[in-house]
Amino acid sequence: MRARKLRTGLALLAAAALGLTAGSVPASAADYERLLNGTFSSGTIDPWWAGAGTTSRVTAGEFCTDVTGGTANGYDALAGQNGVPFEAGQPYTLTFDAHATTTQQISAVAGEAVSPYRQISRTDLTVTPSTQHFTVTFTSTLDFPNAGNGQLAFWFGGQAANNTVCLDNISLIGGVVPPGGLPPTSGIRVNQESYTPGLPKKATVISDSATSLTWTLKTSAGAAVATGQTRPRGADAASGEKVHEIDFSAYDTPGTGYTLTVGSETSFPFDIAADGLKKLRYDSLAFFYHQRSGIAIDARYAGAAYARPAGHVNVAPNQGDNNVPCRSDLNCGYTLDVRGGWYDAGDQGKYVVNGGIATWELLDEYERALRMGDASALGDGKLAIPEQGNGVPDILDEARWEVDFLLEMQVPDGKPNAGMVHHKIHDAQWTSLPTRPDQDSQPRRLSPPSTAATLNMAAVAAQASRLWRTIDPAYSAKLLAAAEKAYAAAKANPNVLADPNDGTGGGTYSDNTVTDEFYWAAAELYTTTGKSAYRGDVTGSSLYRGVSFNTHGFDWGSTGALGDITLALVPNGLPAADVAAIRTAITTTADSHLAQMAAMGYPAPYRTADGTYEWGSNGLVANNGVVLGLAYDFTKQDKYRDGAFAAMDYLLGRNPANYSYVSGHGDQAVQNVHHRFWAHELDPSLPTAPPGALSGGPNSGLQDPTAARLLTGCAPQRCFVDDIQAYSVNEVAINWNSALAWLANWTAEKSPSTVDTSPPAAAGKPVVSAVSGTGATVTWTASSDPESGIKGYDVVSVTGSARKVLATVTGTTATLTGLTPSTAYSLVVVARNGAGLTGPDSPSAQFTTLPDKPAGGCAVTYAANTWNGGFTAALTLTNTGTTAWTTWALKFSFPGSQKVTQGWSATWSQSGPDVTATAMPWNGSVAPGKSVPIGFNGSYTGSNQNPTAFTVNGRACG
């Protein structure tokens, strides 16, 4: 499990006093406790927070806050808890113990955590060095639901000197609405993305009826096209509901916007088509580009909303990953350059044992497609990543970003434990939400090497060496050498386990058993090399012949099945009977999944011993879907294929939460996943999750405050909320998305082809404008496709037989960047339809970029200081010619929604995106080589990208 992430709360700013008594007054036992962790017995302050000017901690079982003196107001230094529920008209009793190093006044304040900061109650009281018990009673005048904007805060400010205030046994009793729990539900649960023609199509309807009900399938226009009777299933333990099953498999007409109705209930709309899964195949893989560390995420690949600067490349405020020391208590005597790799989850740590399984699954997705499927769907040019067009399958390019990081984590030769691999690298302390990677100011630290991490690297490097053998022999050899060195180091250090207490600033990923990692690494090394030593380690293992497969499933802490999957897929020289035994273990496990799913109201291949759901349950559902897919590959029995598709149905909306757990896929898809950049819920200038991110899903443990408030008493499959603070149910992680990507690719591959086999028409001839030294704008007339519609366009540079995609867009305009000055370009536009087919080249257009620094011209620098919704821009105009300017007029265009709100040192005007600044009487004359500083304040929505092209007096500037 990952350690907890905390968020700082907000202040209450209005005033209203109610009653205070000292002593001990028992609260009404008939009412409800509204605070979490009021006794601090957990040893942490979570979910309490400390505001500016304070530092809080748990000391001797108390919540102690160090307060900086010299503030003017009580609310200038405070601590509190957010999400506290209040009900208007209901009485509340607040009790707590308190003492302070020095006697001072504090205030207990109940009210609203956000503007306009309305108050319910404020009570001023005096704390002394002796512990006192306080009781405050009040009646709420406001309504705040669970995890809403209600807040209880303690104000410590307005004091001259520094002080420490300690609180304990904080309790708030009151209200009549039970805490937590999900409201009663009804409705119809469907795969909100799409059902595949020719395959089973099932849904779940909630009903207490013991007899069948009539269902109707309707088109987007509301026309009924099929009807039938539900199958009563009765009480369903995992959901806590009584349900019926709808089976509309007989209806196979492709279309969009279908709905199911039963009585007054109507489902979310869905398609009958193969296109949704084919898109999900690529969206799920795009997740990894978004998670890259050490590289700027480019708008041309990720979209403007998700573009961001490179994180952790030693550019302030980052301290960088290029020279990372070990934890201060280790004194390892060296630093490592560990730039690159994928951020693990919603935090910005990088963990070898989670990176290992995630990378393995991407590589296995490709290797399985090579041997038993369609590898062309994963080839070069299929993903929107910078490496497209290099002749290497894009999925391998993406995986290499992490493979190289895993190698960087290896202890150098000549150092103690050389060849071992560091367990993880992350911040010294947890960063707050939100924190964009390039804004992370925390120092970065290496945790000690571990046997598990070393074997993860050995396994993945050996697997990658096999796949790169013909693509890049030198790289393949490098990978194999690192893998063999790591495996030898692990055998020499077989019990170096990760510290389960090393959870400050990053997850622990501790694992007490590494037998499975040894088996996995030996299997990969044997399959790659055929060496007898590795073969002996495989066949001599207690896990040999499929012992690792079980109905719980494989994950980062249970990796033996990964070795078996490789041995079952890749020819390796083992006895045929042993390979058959591994395949039988896979199909036997798949049969167990199918038997369990047949008895479920919301079928999902997932099982724990006690029926609960755990952190990352959706990742296990997807991995067990992998087992079902492999069972079909090995047997071609339709029941396994149907089970794999049913697992996808569950993830895409046929579940009690009524959410598609995959962002961007479904009418009610998750948006507010726990992530430090995809944090729109906390900062409207930041994006929601991009399409293709898998939420961790239901977790009966409720291991975060938001889940604990909202979901107390939930049935296992209903323990979910789409909230950024609910990290134990709604985080994302690379190992869960790698499982989704494998399953999405498999189901896309097994989806029958759509009826559209015709490519789209050619797009119109591109028109090039706004040419600069490094960019241009291209527009064209739209293409057409009557069958599946136009889904996007590639703008392609053509030089002889060489072609390079410069931009991929969904509209008919593209802004090109990164071009070479003084260079001739020939462009064509290629349309792509909904079936993934590309049309012919448009007529070509030619243009030449401007010189880098036009002779006798001008130069303009532009720098923006951005905040939420606003920015200040500073520009410098330089006369780079040989003739003085007698006056000047600067022109440029904003690339987004920016507006000039106030300017100086020029007369500013704006029309749409186009901005003009003309000289003032006192700064119009500019001699050659001299400069003029000007500037403005501006506003924006969305993203604030800098303009890229400037002219002075009609001449393009460098």
Side-chain angles (χ1 to χ4, degrees), residues 398-421:
E398 187 57 68
R400 182 169 179 168
W401 195 260
E402 181 76 2
V403 171
D404 287 344
F405 160 74
L406 297 179
L407 265 62
E408 292 167 355
M409 293 288 281
Q410 192 165 33
V411 177
D413 289 342
K415 302 297 182 182
N417 300 313
M420 293 285 283
V421 174

Side-chain angles (χ1 to χ4, degrees), residues 24 37 62 83 99 108 130 238 254 263 267 281 322 327 388 422 427 474 568 595 605 625-626 687 719 744 755 897 908:
S24 177
N37 192 26
E62 296 180 321
H99 64 89
S130 298
S267 73
R281 161 196 273 158
N322 62 320
R327 258 183 12 221
Q388 61 182 197
H422 286 272
D427 292 334
V626 170
C719 295
V755 294
S897 63
W908 294 87

Side-chain angles (χ1 to χ4, degrees), residues 234-318:
D236 178 58
S239 67
E241 299 167 348
K242 292 182 179 180
V243 299
H244 291 216
E245 179 183 88
I246 299 172
D247 187 344
F248 60 108
S249 303
Y251 188 83
D252 250 353
T253 302
T256 61
Y258 287 105
T259 57
L260 284 166
T261 63
V262 176
S264 63
E265 300 292 345
T266 300
S267 73
F268 282 115
F270 55 88
D271 298 348
I272 297 178
D275 296 348
L277 290 175
K278 294 181 187 297
K279 183 177 187 300
L280 180 55
R281 161 196 273 158
Y282 299 120
D283 283 349
S284 58
L285 287 169
F287 173 90
F288 295 93
Y289 175 66
H290 285 281
Q291 290 289 99
R292 286 192 189 185
S293 174
I295 186 175
I297 303 306
D298 196 316
R300 82 182 81 176
Y301 308 117
Y306 297 99
R308 59 171 174 80
H312 301 99
V313 290
N314 209 31
V315 174
N318 281 171

Side-chain angles (χ1 to χ4, degrees), residues 920-932:
M920 304 294 286
W922 49 269
N923 65 357
S925 178
V926 183
K930 299 299 182 180
S931 300
V932 176

Side-chain angles (χ1 to χ4, degrees), residues 7-18:
R7 177 190 173 200
T8 299
L10 301 171
L12 294 163
L13 300 179
L18 289 176

